[in-house]
Amino acid sequence: MDKVAEVYERAVQGVTYSVDMWLHYCVFAIGTYGDPSTIRGLFERALACVGTDYLCFPLWDKYLEYEISQQDWSRVATIYTRVLEIPNQQLDRYFEGFKELVASRPLSELRTTEEAAAAVVANSEAVGLENEGEVPPSATKTVNASLKEAEELEKYIAIREEIYKKAKDFDSKIIGFETAIRRPYFHVRPLNVAELENWHNYLDFIEGGDDFNKVVKLYERCLIACARYPEYWIRYVLCMEASGSRELAENALARATQVFVKRQPEIHLFAARFKEQHGDVSGAHAAYQLVHTGISPGLLEAIIKHANMEHRLGNLEDACSLYEQAIAIEKGKEQSQTLPLLFAQYSRFIFLAMIHLESIQSLPKQIEYLDSLVDKFIVPNPENPSVASVDEREEVSSIFLEFLDLFGDAQAIKKADYRHAKLFLHHKSTLESKKRHAEDYLASDRTKLAKSLIPSTAPSAAYGSYGTSYTHPQVPTSVPQSAAYGTYPQTYPAQAYPQQAYAQPAMAATLTPAQQPAAAAAAPATYYSSYY
């Protein structure tokens, strides 16, 4: 039995927010342990984790069943009082059960020790007031006592009915979200668009409230069903960080990068940006290196983002080296489809870097002022409603992110990243599969490249967005996970990314501005921004 208990402990560490797992553990405890305090202690641990889950009623039912078997009526009444505070699927049934309990047992058996003591004090004060006047006849005393008890019972019920009504009111606000959740459990099959969108909308609603605990619990519920979608992990990390809960943010990021979506490059690109923003440059390098050498070698998005980070850190030579190494590798391949894109992207990088070097000789760029203008345009405001569509506002935000990625600092990027994710993350398609290898971008990027060579008076759609790089919902990849769902470690050490250098070419190719392809030199200053 000790070994069984050890397995259950591992289970509730691995899937802490599973109602079923806690329920099975409690049933095991009831059948194994004779000490009521041990069993109650386990129920309380379970309820602390999943007691507010909308589908938590099997656990509450089992707790009620156990206390009824112990004939501890004050504990039964207390459990009813607690569950009536929680919006859940069986709220009405619990209120009816509470009324049946009150009708079947005297109030003296239902009160807790504290409630009984308070009643005695109140009655003593009332008796003292009566004794100041004439002593009433015995029959009158009996009638008064009966009336007082009836009043106390009515008050006892009324307090709990008020609690129930408050929970019922909140239940009416979330019932639509809850009924739209068709698959609350984990499965390898992709979720449908409607259910993914419902999770986003539900999270939006709960985040708009003032109960941080509800926000955390809903994210954890969401990440049971949506464990293989990087966008929800990214959103969780950003939300926790914005709430000042750095530890929870890092915990979620560790679980995502080490277990649940560890083979999907976008989570590691996000981790690199997150670490850079918090001063962990070595951690950011390690995250990029993992993508370069293990997850997705040759991924253009990773090369571009890594090079831009090196540029922000003042390491222009290292940034150029990343492009040159990648170009050398692609030159060694027969009919490389990526090589033209690398040349074009590298030439743009050199060109924009030169613009930056030239611009810093004069007045510094007014990033804060630009940010305020962008914010006014893209953030909905009742006092200043925007006539622009969501797509137009997202495009402006993406252009600004592109600008900051080269010319801003980590904090300015962090601010704009969070705003973009908050406004536009959930507008992305939730079924489109995003394979991140360079060849998967070829068709669309050739089109973008062709468009960039055609003069246009309107902003080009080639400016993509931050969201497209690593915040799209992902159809789970076919790569098998080595760790089963729910087995993330109890502690989350720093990422043990391989530290080997990016593959060194036999002879690195160099590219000077004079050698830039004519077509690329003639192109307007637009990034192939699906990488952003």
Side-chain angles (χ1 to χ4, degrees), residues 84-143:
L84 288 175
E85 293 180 311
I86 302 167
N88 65 82
Q89 193 185 71
Q90 302 294 317
L91 191 59
D92 293 337
R93 176 169 65 82
Y94 285 127
F95 186 58
E96 292 302 317
F98 167 73
K99 290 192 293 185
E100 290 175 7
L101 175 67
V102 172
S104 64
R105 313 302 306 182
L107 184 57
S108 59
E109 293 184 8
L110 301 179
R111 283 174 169 157
T112 63
T113 303
E114 293 77 11
E115 289 171 336
V120 169
V121 172
N123 288 334
S124 298
E125 292 175 353
V127 170
L129 291 174
E130 289 176 359
N131 289 339
E132 291 179 2
E134 296 182 359
V135 179
S138 177
T140 304
K141 283 186 177 181
T142 302
V143 171

Side-chain angles (χ1 to χ4, degrees), residues 29 32-41 66:
T32 304
Y33 307 122
D35 179 21
S37 63
T38 301
I39 295 169
R40 287 168 181 151
Y66 174 73

